[in-house]
Amino acid sequence: MNNPTARRWAEPLRVFGLVLPAWAALGVFFVAPLAIMLVISFAQRDAYGGIRPIEDLRAYLRSWQWLANYRQSFEGMYLTILWRSVWMAVATTAICILISYPVAYYIALLARPRWKNLLLVLAVVPFWTSFLIRTYAWMLILRTQGLANTVLLSSGLIHQPLDLLYNDFAVMIGLVYGELPFMILPLYASLEKLDRTLLEAAADLGAARAATFWRVTVPLTMPGIVAGVVLVFIPSIGQFIVSDLLGGAKTVLVGNLINDQFSWARNRPFGSALAFEVTAVVLATVAWYAIYARKRGGMEGL
Amino acid sequence: MSARSAWGGRLLAAHAWAVYLFLYAPIAILIVFSFNNEKQTAVWKGFTTQWYSALLDDRFIRTPVANSLIVAGASTAVATIVGTLAALGLARYKLIPRPLGQGATRGLLMLPLVIPEIVVGAALLTFFGVIDWELSLWTVIIAHVGFSTSYVAVVVGARLAGFDRTLEEAAADLGAGPLATFVRVKLPLILPGIVAGALLAFTVSIDDYVITSFVAGTGATTLPLYIYSKLKTGVTPEVNAVSTALLLFTVVLILIAQWLLRPRSGATPGGEK
């Protein structure tokens, strides 16, 4: 250790040793699979559901066939599904902001300390519990013989059970229900850090309460809103369980389409291309967040 | 301002409680139905525990339960070690030059948390096909190590962010070697974070459906896969019972993790300055 060169390298080597297992595990079993799938997304399937070997790479590249899967995904029924996935994810995000902001505001600024901790734990728990089971619970409510129809029928409001399940409405409920905690928590974190004296200052200077809210509170909590948008939009765009269980065959999202290509449709190259379109949207969202966070600064803990 | 403000406050409180009702009512309904003495409809026909006793007698559920415990246990054990080491490395990373710097490692650890599960599952299925590995319980464990490592690294990393480096320096000044400093000073302080990270990783693993559905071989059916196949064919009271049991089991783990991660009284948030 007396050798200065050895000392200079000892600490970096130790740090390197600490992160190496994670690099190895994620490199081999996460990055490599994604890279392989990216390559396959430019290939074609063969008649048996495998991947057709490319004999002449140069001719293949010149024929533009390598883009065929991506081109196909923007045609006809597939374009409809992609478009539906995007607008449903955007709608879910918007609804989650509208519902969550007042809740986060209440927890951060108005709730008594005793209630505050309980409300926070209650917001965190669904975050970690089974998405599958939480979605399934809505099947119990919405199905033909479910709770909603039973209550409505026995109250005499309706005489025929309503078709509440297997449509866009059911999927929207499932998405908002599933992603809501992801919006409440970052909004709470940013509202909690809000300097209340600024709100008082705005009021003292004669600002109306609405003006204070829109021109002081909302801009100051924008980091929380942005983090919430990212945390809700990303899982919504790649959703599979909600649309499969609550949408049935009617409301198919891109996640279901990908799943189909890898199961019964046996068109892995096309499924890979779809998966990369989703990944591109996700990574673009993350990049937008990273740029925003760098410009804004001070977004630790969000 | 006070009269209007009071009404506004009450309105916000009412809204908050309504949202919490929306979050928890479906779960409550599931639990209630698991005790309902009725097979088909949503009408309450009296209290019963027969669906739970049916579960205990069901031979077909034993393998999925065992598989889930094996997968969650094995993947959590590996992920806890790898994830904790990565978090420890990241906390003192400033010395490593780019391009292998902190940003790249952080980004790599965040990937499993942001890439949609359906993409990860499809990629792993393709990967195991290319390298010609037969799908089994092993492939499920490997798949789960990926996301579990990230969860552990994030939770332990958050704990380390509040770690007071001066304690380490004090131990060194008092003559403790690096190993003694780590084992007797640092490890006890971050151990709650490690245990909480492990509990949360275990929870996510035992609940995972999407990735598992891609990489599980025949005979490697886990509990969520079993539940899914059941509820695709129709709602049954047994599914309500097994779902309730799994839900309550994981909630206990989550609450323990939350308790371990609670802000310590007297400690300044942020810790090191």
Side-chain angles (χ1 to χ4, degrees):
Chain A
M1 275 308 227
N2 287 327
N3 182 343
T5 323
R7 206 182 309 147
R8 187 145 48 90
W9 285 103
E11 174 71 5
L13 275 178
R14 204 177 298 147
V15 171
F16 210 64
L18 288 171
V19 295
L20 201 60
W23 273 89
L26 292 176
V28 174
F29 294 117
F30 206 91
V31 178
L34 287 173
I36 289 171
M37 196 163 72
L38 181 61
V39 172
I40 285 177
S41 74
F42 296 111
Q44 304 291 313
R45 72 155 168 187
D46 65 17
Y48 312 102
I51 291 138
R52 193 195 302 161
I54 294 160
E55 275 139 30
D56 184 348
L57 186 62
R58 201 174 291 174
Y60 186 74
L61 289 178
R62 218 176 294 140
S63 71
W64 291 97
Q65 275 229 325
W66 53 282
L67 271 181
N69 293 319
Y70 289 92
R71 210 183 303 141
Q72 188 187 357
S73 71
F74 290 106
E75 286 166 2
M77 164 185 105
Y78 301 124
L79 183 63
T80 312
I81 293 171
L82 286 183
W83 176 235
R84 183 190 295 132
S85 305
V86 171
W87 82 251
M88 283 197 132
V90 170
T92 302
T93 311
I95 294 171
C96 281
I97 294 178
L98 291 178
I99 295 178
S100 303
Y101 203 98
V103 176
Y105 191 94
Y106 175 75
I107 304 175
L109 297 169
L110 298 173
R112 297 213 179 93
R114 199 157 46 111
W115 288 110
K116 197 167 172 165
N117 288 330
L118 177 68
L119 288 171
L120 273 178
V121 170
L122 285 176
V124 172
V125 168
F127 200 94
W128 294 103
T129 48
S130 169
F131 203 86
L132 171 60
I133 293 173
R134 293 202 300 132
T135 307
Y136 165 64
W138 279 97
M139 287 177 80
L140 291 175
I141 298 171
L142 297 177
R143 71 198 179 104
T144 313
Q145 292 181 312
L147 189 68
N149 272 320
T150 305
V151 169
L152 288 172
L153 281 170
S154 63
S155 69
L157 281 171
I158 54 169
H159 301 288
Q160 289 283 319
L162 303 171
D163 288 326
L164 299 170
L165 204 54
Y166 306 129
N167 51 41
D168 287 7
F169 162 78
V171 174
M172 276 311 301
I173 286 189
L175 286 172
V176 170
Y177 179 74
E179 314 299 357
L180 202 57
F182 292 83
M183 186 63 87
I184 295 178
L185 292 172
L187 286 180
Y188 164 79
S190 67
L191 279 159
E192 175 69 26
K193 282 196 278 186
L194 186 70
D195 185 353
R196 290 175 202 212
T197 56
L198 291 174
L199 304 184
E200 286 160 21
D204 288 348
L205 293 170
R209 286 154 60 82
T212 309
F213 178 76
W214 287 109
R215 299 178 64 174
V216 180
T217 312
V218 169
L220 283 175
T221 53
M222 202 44 97
I225 299 174
V226 169
V229 165
V230 172
L231 287 174
V232 170
F233 180 77
I234 287 177
S236 302
I237 193 86
Q239 189 50 245
F240 168 77
I241 291 178
V242 169
S243 37
D244 196 43
L245 290 183
L246 305 181
K250 281 229 192 95
T251 304
V252 176
L253 298 182
V254 63
N256 312 85
L257 192 56
I258 294 170
N259 187 61
D260 292 346
Q261 304 310 314
F262 282 86
S263 51
W264 55 267
R266 300 188 68 71
N267 190 349
R268 289 190 185 183
F270 183 51
S272 301
L274 292 167
F276 266 94
E277 285 166 7
V278 173
T279 307
V281 173
V282 166
L283 292 180
T285 313
V286 173
W288 170 69
Y289 176 77
I291 290 166
Y292 177 86
R294 181 168 301 178
K295 227 171 20 187
R296 177 92 184 204
M299 286 184 70
E300 300 84 15
L302 281 179
Chain B
M1 136 166 193
S2 60
R4 243 183 89 188
S5 166
W7 273 106
R10 255 173 241 161
L11 208 61
L12 280 172
H15 172 80
W17 290 109
V19 170
Y20 276 92
L21 189 69
F22 171 67
L23 276 178
Y24 280 90
I27 296 170
I29 288 164
L30 169 73
I31 297 173
V32 168
F33 279 169
S34 75
F35 293 105
N36 188 7
N37 194 5
E38 159 65 36
K39 239 180 160 24
Q40 271 302 312
T41 68
V43 179
W44 181 255
K45 295 265 179 73
F47 181 88
T48 178
T49 54
Q50 61 164 308
W51 314 121
Y52 289 91
S53 22
L55 278 186
L56 293 175
D57 294 334
D58 183 359
R59 280 185 305 121
F60 298 106
I61 207 171
R62 284 179 199 165
T63 313
V65 169
N67 282 342
S68 277
L69 290 173
I70 292 169
V71 168
S75 64
T76 302
V78 176
T80 303
I81 296 167
V82 176
T84 302
L85 291 178
L88 284 168
L90 268 177
R92 42 206 282 197
Y93 215 120
K94 293 175 193 90
L95 303 141
I96 305 283
R98 285 160 177 262
L100 295 175
Q102 199 176 21
T105 304
R106 250 182 230 290
L108 183 71
L109 283 167
M110 283 311 285
L111 267 190
L113 304 183
V114 298
I115 305 281
E117 282 202 285
I118 193 93
V119 175
V120 177
L124 282 168
L125 174 67
T126 308
F127 175 72
F128 290 132
V130 167
I131 63 170
D132 207 17
W133 276 17
E134 208 177 321
L135 299 182
S136 62
L137 210 54
W138 285 105
T139 48
V140 181
I141 293 171
I142 287 170
H144 285 214
V145 165
F147 59 76
S148 294
T149 299
S150 297
Y151 282 114
V152 173
V154 167
V155 174
V156 176
R159 185 82 184 189
L160 275 168
F163 179 72
D164 192 351
R165 286 296 300 257
T166 55
L167 290 174
E168 240 177 332
E169 286 156 21
D173 288 347
L174 293 170
L179 188 68
T181 307
F182 178 76
V183 173
R184 301 184 58 175
V185 178
K186 198 165 190 176
L187 193 59
L189 281 168
I190 63 168
L191 197 58
I194 297 174
V195 175
L199 286 173
L200 294 174
F202 189 91
T203 307
V204 177
S205 169
I206 210 161
D207 281 338
D208 183 75
Y209 170 75
V210 177
I211 294 178
T212 312
S213 73
F214 278 93
V215 295
T218 37
T221 304
T222 61
L223 193 55
L225 260 54
Y226 178 83
I227 293 174
Y228 209 87
S229 68
K230 286 272 173 191
L231 58 87
K232 282 296 270 187
T233 54
V235 170
T236 64
E238 289 91 349
V239 173
N240 297 343
V242 67
S243 301
T244 300
L246 178 58
L247 198 70
L248 294 183
F249 174 62
T250 53
V251 165
V252 170
L253 299 185
I254 296 159
L255 290 178
I256 296 173
Q258 292 304 320
W259 179 77
L260 288 168
L261 293 174
R262 75 199 180 282
R264 288 149 294 172
S265 53
T268 47
E272 109 187 271
K273 276 270 133 37

